Amino acid sequence: MSSTELPGVRAATSTAYGERGIPAVRVAEGEELRSVALSGLTLTVRSRPPTRAGLPPALYLHGLGGSSQNWSALMPLLADAVDGAAVDLPGFGDSPPPDDGNYSVTGHARAVIRLLDAGGRGPVHLLGNSLGGAVATRIAAVRPDLVRTLTLVSPALPELRVQRTAVPTGLLAMPGAAALFARLSRDWTAERRARGVVDLCYGDPGRVSGDAMRHAVEEMERRVQLPYFWDALTRSARGIVDAYTLGGQHGLWRQAERVLAPTLLVYGGRDRLVGYRMANRAAAAFRDSRLLTLPDAGHVAMMEYPDEVAAAVRGLLTDDAARS
């Protein structure tokens, strides 16, 4: 996706809050950031030039509290197979809050749909993790014309029995909970916060390199200075809880059954946020699915085991190309 494809595209090195002393977001070597201005919405898109022209487009969606950087380990491994871009969902990464304040799963899905429609990017190979997996599922169900294949890494689909380790994250959705936690943790260092996220999201936190941990701390330092940080996190968490309780044709499991795109499901055996036991239910719900289980992975398998995830995605792309 070149900068000429979208209206209102400009180079992006940081949000408008950079002029208030907020550090610029990190851009890894070989990556590019650009800001896409749509009506009432601005999205930052992270991309890595494909190894050759004419590759099919792919779009990556991160999870709750994450950013497009969550895909920086996987994107280069697929740069010879897709023309990939990762978006910062509204209020996360380097994307400012949406004008309408809508952080629901549907709100995030609409933002991504608008991005795809504006750029004429569909159909894309759509990849989503956690919250991004729920958003991707909704997009694939309501706009099948935009999705060629679907890859879901620990998707946030409703569970009747939520894991105990996932309860604190869900409590963020309660009125006043985030403000209380912000006050209680105001003296925490960025390193303590980042370490807590790593411990929660990785099956083996020891797999995080020293450089990766340093980058995580720097990003945490940047995020907590954003005036909308807690609001975006809280409302998005509330959006997941609301999506879990939504029934009928708008329920996520019902929408999963409507997805036509070939789907790769990735689940980690040490996931503390999405139950490993949900893997088989998901495989049964999506009509054209394949399942990759990684017993030692946590919630972000594409960061923890990028080679294994990339190999599975390649298999999905190869089979899709053979059917085209």
Side-chain angles (χ1 to χ4, degrees), residues 175-191:
L180 175 61
F181 182 75
R183 289 197 299 271
L184 294 176
S185 63
R186 63 178 177 269
D187 295 328
W188 289 13
T189 64
E191 182 173 0

Side-chain angles (χ1 to χ4, degrees), residues 66-77:
S67 75
S68 57
Q69 294 185 66
N70 291 20
W71 298 100
S72 289
L74 185 66
M75 287 175 67
L77 300 180

Side-chain angles (χ1 to χ4, degrees), residues 79-261:
D80 63 337
V82 296
D83 181 359
V87 62
D88 286 328
L89 294 174
F92 293 97
D94 208 45
S95 292
D99 287 358
D100 63 4
N102 189 343
Y103 291 103
S104 67
V105 170
T106 297
H108 285 308
R110 286 174 179 164
V112 175
I113 288 171
R114 289 181 61 195
L115 176 70
L116 291 171
D117 280 341
R121 287 275 285 176
V124 299
H125 297 291
L126 188 60
L127 299 87
N129 168 234
S130 191
L131 165 63
V135 172
T137 298
R138 184 148 291 172
I139 294 170
V142 302
R143 287 293 303 274
D145 59 303
L146 292 179
V147 181
R148 183 167 174 178
T149 68
L150 187 62
T151 295
L152 305 177
V153 181
S154 295
L157 300 175
E159 300 182 45
L160 291 178
R161 291 188 300 110
V162 177
Q163 295 186 100
R164 184 172 57 184
T165 47
V167 170
T169 302
L171 289 177
L172 283 174
M174 296 181 61
L180 175 61
F181 182 75
R183 289 197 299 271
L184 294 176
S185 63
R186 63 178 177 269
D187 295 328
W188 289 13
T189 64
E191 182 173 0
R192 179 178 178 180
R193 294 178 191 274
R195 178 60 65 185
V197 172
V198 167
D199 289 346
L200 180 65
C201 293
Y202 276 72
D204 178 9
R207 293 180 65 89
V208 181
S209 69
D211 282 345
M213 193 65 219
R214 177 170 56 83
H215 295 322
V217 172
E218 291 172 353
E219 175 62 11
M220 185 61 70
E221 289 176 335
R222 189 190 71 85
R223 289 185 189 183
V224 296
Q225 295 180 62
L226 295 171
Y228 54 83
F229 171 76
W230 286 109
D231 187 58
L233 190 65
T234 301
R235 293 189 183 214
S236 292
R238 191 173 300 148
I240 295 176
V241 173
D242 289 345
Y244 272 34
T245 59
L246 196 62
Q249 63 178 345
H250 299 296
L252 283 170
W253 283 116
R254 182 70 63 84
Q255 291 192 321
E257 295 170 354
R258 292 166 49 192
V259 171
L260 301 176

Side-chain angles (χ1 to χ4, degrees), residues 34-38 41-45 87-90 95-96 111-112 115:
R34 57 191 173 280
S35 182
V36 181
L38 304 168
L41 181 70
T42 300
L43 297 173
T44 296
V45 178
V87 62
D88 286 328
L89 294 174
S95 292
V112 175
L115 176 70

